[in-house]
Amino acid sequence: MTCHTAPVNTAARRPARNRPAPTLEEVAARAGVSRATASRVLRGDQKVSERAREVVLAAAQEISYVPNLAARTLVTGRSESVAFLVEESEERMFADPFFLGMLRSAQEAVATAGQQLVFTVMNRPEDQERFLAYAAGGHVDGVLLLSLHGRDQLPQRLESLGVPTVLSGRPLSGGRRLWYVDADNVGGGELATRHLLDSGRAHVATVTGPLDMCAGQDRLAGYRAAVEAAGRPYDEGLVSVGDFTAAGGHAATVRLLDERPDVDAIFAASDLAAFGVVRALRESGRSVGDDVAVIGFDDVPAAADQQPPLSTVKQPIAALGTAMTRLLLDRIEGRPGLTRRTILPVELVLRETA
Amino acid sequence: MTCHTAPVNTAARRPARNRPAPTLEEVAARAGVSRATASRVLRGDQKVSERAREVVLAAAQEISYVPNLAARTLVTGRSESVAFLVEESEERMFADPFFLGMLRSAQEAVATAGQQLVFTVMNRPEDQERFLAYAAGGHVDGVLLLSLHGRDQLPQRLESLGVPTVLSGRPLSGGRRLWYVDADNVGGGELATRHLLDSGRAHVATVTGPLDMCAGQDRLAGYRAAVEAAGRPYDEGLVSVGDFTAAGGHAATVRLLDERPDVDAIFAASDLAAFGVVRALRESGRSVGDDVAVIGFDDVPAAADQQPPLSTVKQPIAALGTAMTRLLLDRIEGRPGLTRRTILPVELVLRETA
DNA sequence: CAATATAGATCCCTTCGTTTT
DNA sequence: TAAAACGAAGGGATCTATATT
């Protein structure tokens, strides 16, 4: 006869009284059925008799059985959770209404699907390795990735480890093979610029975002398209490079006014930049909306609270978050017929600056 | 000879090319050591020779081995992640600087400890059951719980399922057995009230928070303590019940002024309430800071931006989040000598309204 | 006899192939 | 012959008691 030593049960989860957590085995024993049958009942599988169902459910209830998810994940390969990963400082993540809005809608969409969201903000390079191991280790079934920097290969690495990833915003490189959801930045730039042109402005300028980011490039492309569609020449003198911040917008405007004092309309590539534009215009003695029309981009909450309220291109933040999440969940499920690239429409919100 | 059917490998994680993920077994084989040795090396265990270490590390590298976390969790009982659970609507979670600040600091603290944060906001009752199963299932090692409502038994249920839980704020019931971190609400109420009394105000009133919440009760208790410590009678006519919102603060002030037009100082139990107080005072033709001094509670960012800037009691939000997280992690580790109750000091921030 | 390395049991669940009714 | 239940084989890592040098 083999001598079994008592099971040592290293650190396994155990409820308050220090009993080990009940297992499926115990439920089955108590119900007088096999483990397989108990499993089928608890997962809501079809092939079980009504009697078996009742008796198993009762047994599970009695001993407050909760399935061990690690064991389940081990066999199914699914964790029923996805990561929300932001490559930014905590500072920026929590200061930016865009990130918060995305987090909010992603959380809602994930919860609606009955799954969990693992929220991570990544700063230091070592964070990246750790996250990679975490994700590839099977603790999440997929990744929502925001604010990818430069030509960072993180999404490629995740995909090659078998972790489906969906980006927010078109990536600078690898756009062909990666999955992403983006706002219609080109269309938004066009929309704003066309409005300025149509309202009779003679010299419509733009204060751009950083041109090493897709959103910056695309909004500028939209500006240019609208200008050319109106049969006007694309004039580089009317393009001043900023960086999406208020300070950058201010500086870009100062330069612009210096070279081209005749400017009577400015499309700013972000609302924050627009705030800087407005300040610079004021400082130069021009009236905003009257002498110079201004349109921003994003529609952050503060835009409506400005004096005068800022006209802007509204990004559908909630829809972006929901779309990313749905796309990721569909990929995880292996739904066929999905497309790598989703572009959501933007909308011109006219207030008082244009 | 037994006939083995090929392993079917249901849905297990598999990298891009559809090969199954490499296992520890394969690393060991490649390195020419046993699985146990490979495991020890990869976990940084001590009892391994330098040669074994090198050869295992190399092998792991070669086949891009990533440990399967579900398997690890199954045996260790640890998932290396904790939940951040908010019992609120998404709306309130994302509108309230307090929740966002807590999320931020918890995220930082958790990341610093090399762990992950699972972020959940809970609205509907069915969410609770699902979360309970998730947490008890071992996907998280503990729970940070914010904004517990009424006498909700969720923390008790979590604890009884073996999931350590730390609350933000003293719970209404069960405070004896539960673990929580709170700001010194009583002390803050005292601090504000004493300052108003000391600065020569004759009739110091308070606009309270909701009195079915601990924070509301405690801040009122602090007010009362300061009044009595100053040798003045506690006058219920000077206590007007609000609910932490601006609308509530406004209404409470209107009532108060109606009954006690002689009021010359008001301690409001929250900054939002204070905003309402200020508006009501203005509407009544009184000057804020001069005729009537006002002190709020929280120090939300908007407090400093008010006209005039609001004096208030500052809660150490980042410290609260960090303390909760550290406490939870320490509990999970089984560190001895921890105390159930942590109260962090608050601080009076004098600006222009008092 | 130290210091390392090993085999094998164990964690708990899902699922396949087979038997039972 | 179906339908329902069963037994046993994984799934991948950790850890203890045992062997090896």
Side-chain angles (χ1 to χ4, degrees), chain B residues 227-270:
Chain B
V227 168
E228 293 177 341
R232 306 204 194 175
Y234 173 69
D235 178 353
E236 297 221 337
L238 290 172
V239 176
S240 190
V241 178
D243 62 0
F244 284 154
T245 72
H250 182 268
T253 308
V254 169
R255 287 198 307 276
L256 178 69
L257 294 177
D258 190 43
E259 302 231 354
R260 300 292 298 261
D262 56 343
V263 162
D264 59 0
I266 300 178
F267 161 52
S270 78

Side-chain angles (χ1 to χ4, degrees), chain A residues 8-21:
Chain A
V8 192
N9 201 326
T10 61
R13 181 174 58 84
R14 35 175 81 257
R17 291 271 159 272
N18 227 32
R19 260 177 299 97

Side-chain angles (χ1 to χ4, degrees), chain A residues 94-118:
Chain A
F94 283 94
D96 194 322
F98 178 79
F99 292 135
L100 290 173
M102 293 295 279
L103 176 58
R104 173 176 171 173
S105 53
Q107 204 285 323
E108 287 191 49
V110 165
T112 302
Q115 310 215 169
Q116 306 292 330
L117 193 73
V118 175

Side-chain angles (χ1 to χ4, degrees), chain B residues 10 33-37 40 47-49 52 74:
Chain B
T10 59
V33 302
S34 76
R35 217 166 44 227
T37 303
R40 254 182 266 121
K47 306 291 187 58
V48 276
S49 65
L74 185 56

Side-chain angles (χ1 to χ4, degrees), chain A residues 65 78 88 104 121 129 136 141 162 171 196 204 238 241 261 273 302 305 310 314 319 330-331 335:
Chain A
Y65 169 75
R78 287 289 184 75
E88 281 293 351
R104 173 176 171 173
V121 359
E129 291 310 311
D141 299 333
L196 294 170
V204 178
L238 290 172
V241 177
D305 300 335
L310 182 71
K314 180 192 181 105
D330 286 345
R331 279 194 69 191
R335 258 251 224 117

